[in-house]
Amino acid sequence: MNHFQYRNGALHAEDVLITQIAEAEGTPFYCYSTATLTRHYQVFAEALSGLDAKIFYAVKANSNLAVIKTFADLGAGADVVSEGELRRALAAGVPADGIIFSGVGKSQEELAGAVERGIHQINVESQPELDALSGVAKARNAEMDIAIRVNPDVDAKTHDKISTGRQEDKFGIDIADAVETYRRAADLPGINPVSVAVHIGSQLTDLDPFRMAFTRVAELVRTLRDQGHTITRLDLGGGLGIPYRDEEPPLPEEYAAMVRETVGDLGCQLAFEPGRMLVGNAGVLVSRVLFVKLGNSRRFVVLDAAMNDLIRQTLYDAHHDLLPVAQAPSNAAFEPADVVGPVCETGDTFVRGYPLPPVITGDLLAFASAGAYGAVMASTYNSRPLVPEIMVSGSDYSVIRARQTYEELLALDSFADWQQDDPLRRRSIG
Ligand code: LLP
């Protein structure tokens, strides 16, 4: 359920008319609903009630400070994968001890920053990372709680590029090597291996891969305990899918029931790292039609948004429904359209043959389910400034990220020393 609905034929975000935002702020823009963010969090939290569980919002899905703060205010921690995300989580009010640092490659500086700030847990993904973290923590006289992320060799049956739990994927330590890795970790100074982490992929629409992975993790925990390790926590990752089109992902209660079945009797504190299911359907990308171009065989609808603003269709062949902001009349003829952006490559095609009512220059279209992995994956390709993000709450809206200006777009570049007009700034190269 989400709060982007038609009223009197006009698309609203909660009680705000999308056209009103478009007129005031220009297009394209991302628009998020606070009510949907809150509802999704609460539904998931309620499903987990009775379990010793905490939600660590996966910041990578949407790292806008206002979005993180919305969850932090509801009691969420944060799952971060970089120094930048760590700083965002802290800036949004997530306490350091509510932060988990995941990811397959953390720099020495990132490890040091996490240790110095005293975060809740670092998820380690390789033996060299264990050694590096041990060195960093020891040098600071710290004792860092860690999880070792295991790779359970389970196919999540999702898109190849977002599947992370097969042996051939780069993530985690092979579950077959886990016992040996814990043994070595226990001997290393500065680290405290208290948890097992697993995350097998994103946009899962079936519970079976989760069940298989969690069952393997439960077996591992029993083995580790038999060998004298004190495992008090489990990190079960994220990954629960959302409906983009006709998918029917498991309900949060079904997911929670499977969690109880597989790991419920271990007495572990459970960490969850949902991203997409909290924010995906809480956001849309609103764009204006620049031109409608009638080719010999196709109707091309050229938008002012492009693959640099929302890359999921290009990168993962993902589907995002298109909602005409002015609802089509019931007798409108829906004809196939190829909806494209202005970027100079054919890959900048959002969808082919999509049934759209007649549209003309100036009409607004909204891509649904764009709250997760939308704005965060945007780039300035073709020197197109990053688009703004808007948050709605009831009848209020607020710009939570300004549109990038052309001055900002150019600001980090400079001429090489020898290209400067001022001869004093020229350095000899020879
Ligand atoms: N935890 C870890 C360790 C992860 O790697 C991820 C996502 C999550 C949690 C959150 O997963 P979620 O609940 O959102 O499925 N850009 C891709 C998705 C990449 C997901 C990466 N990892 C997309 O647009 O589909």
Side-chain angles (χ1 to χ4, degrees):
M1 197 219 134
N2 64 63
H3 294 78
F4 298 95
Q5 305 291 341
Y6 290 103
R7 283 192 212 155
N8 303 321
L11 189 66
H12 284 65
E14 303 190 25
D15 299 331
V16 181
L17 262 170
I18 294 282
T19 42
Q20 186 199 332
I21 305 176
E23 262 139 48
E25 310 299 335
T27 55
F29 61 90
Y30 279 94
C31 178
Y32 310 128
S33 156
T34 305
T36 309
L37 295 171
T38 305
R39 186 187 138 76
H40 287 176
Y41 180 85
Q42 284 170 342
V43 167
F44 193 55
E46 270 159 35
L48 299 173
S49 66
L51 287 165
D52 182 6
K54 183 168 168 82
I55 298 172
F56 296 80
Y57 166 57
V59 167
K60 64 171 78 66
N62 186 319
S63 59
N64 188 287
L65 293 180
V67 172
I68 306 174
K69 180 170 166 52
T70 302
F71 295 128
D73 288 350
L74 293 165
D79 164 50
V80 304
V81 292
S82 67
E83 171 84 24
E85 285 192 357
L86 177 59
R87 287 179 188 236
R88 283 181 177 274
L90 291 168
V94 181
D97 65 4
I99 297 178
I100 293 177
F101 198 151
S102 308
V104 70
K106 310 175 190 79
S107 70
Q108 197 82 2
E109 293 75 23
E110 286 178 320
L111 290 173
V115 169
E116 283 164 12
R117 290 178 179 107
I119 69 166
H120 176 67
Q121 178 177 302
I122 297 182
N123 292 359
V124 174
E125 299 216 15
S126 64
Q127 182 66 46
E129 187 188 352
L130 263 188
D131 296 332
L133 177 58
S134 168
V136 164
K138 189 172 163 238
R140 288 161 181 78
N141 274 327
E143 188 72 17
M144 191 69 224
D145 287 341
I146 67 156
I148 291 176
R149 176 168 172 184
V150 294
N151 182 325
D153 194 21
V154 170
D155 185 347
K157 302 207 164 58
T158 180
H159 191 281
D160 196 48
K161 289 199 171 94
I162 54 175
S163 186
T164 58
R166 302 163 299 187
Q167 211 169 36
E168 66 267 31
D169 298 327
K170 67 178 176 178
F171 297 97
I173 283 172
D174 198 326
I175 197 160
D177 301 331
V179 170
E180 171 61 10
T181 309
Y182 275 86
R183 192 189 61 69
R184 291 167 72 170
D187 289 341
L188 286 172
I191 56 175
N192 197 11
V194 293
S195 180
V196 180
V198 67
H199 172 81
I200 58 172
S202 193
Q203 183 56 12
L204 273 73
T205 51
D206 185 0
L207 280 185
D208 287 342
F210 282 122
R211 187 177 288 113
M212 201 177 291
F214 295 173
T215 303
R216 290 185 185 167
V217 164
E219 278 165 25
L220 173 63
V221 170
R222 291 193 188 95
T223 311
L224 291 172
R225 284 178 173 166
D226 286 347
Q227 309 216 340
H229 297 281
T230 309
I231 304 294
T232 56
R233 305 178 187 163
L234 282 185
D235 181 338
L236 298 176
L240 204 50
I242 63 168
Y244 283 99
R245 186 163 26 184
D246 45 14
E247 303 90 337
E248 288 182 8
L251 298 172
E253 308 88 75
E254 295 166 340
Y255 173 84
M258 177 275 301
V259 168
R260 286 191 182 85
E261 258 169 54
T262 49
V263 300
D265 61 346
L266 294 172
C268 285
Q269 240 177 47
L270 303 179
F272 295 90
E273 302 170 349
R276 190 190 312 265
M277 67 150 301
L278 297 183
V279 293
N281 286 326
V284 298
L285 171 65
V286 180
S287 176
R288 213 177 265 288
V289 174
L290 293 177
F291 304 111
V292 178
K293 193 166 90 153
L294 296 174
N296 283 338
S297 60
R298 331 271 316 174
R299 174 169 61 137
F300 291 105
V301 174
V302 186
L303 301 181
D304 64 359
M307 62 188 279
N308 69 297
D309 304 308
L310 177 61
I311 201 168
R312 298 196 67 260
Q313 294 93 331
T314 303
L315 200 53
Y316 314 114
D317 299 315
H319 174 90
H320 289 263
D321 272 341
L322 267 166
L323 309 171
V325 170
Q327 193 170 25
S330 55
N331 61 354
F334 281 68
E335 304 275 355
D338 290 358
V339 182
V340 303
V343 161
C344 303
E345 55 181 280
T346 304
D348 186 24
T349 297
F350 289 114
V351 61
R352 283 188 174 273
Y354 191 90
L356 275 186
V359 288
I360 55 167
T361 297
D363 283 356
L364 294 171
L365 293 174
F367 288 102
S369 313
Y373 307 109
V376 283
M377 293 180 75
S379 76
T380 57
Y381 184 39
N382 277 205
S383 288
R384 293 167 47 84
L386 295 174
V387 305
E389 293 173 272
I390 310 266
M391 184 176 262
V392 168
S393 179
S395 54
D396 293 330
Y397 86 82
S398 187
V399 177
I400 58 171
R401 178 186 198 136
R403 188 182 302 280
Q404 190 176 33
T405 63
Y406 286 105
E407 289 72 27
E408 287 163 346
L409 187 73
L410 269 59
L412 289 179
D413 293 16
S414 55
F415 291 111
D417 287 349
W418 58 90
Q419 295 172 315
Q420 309 277 353
D421 289 336
D422 177 357
L424 289 176
R425 296 196 59 188
R426 281 196 205 132
R427 291 207 194 105
S428 163
I429 54 168

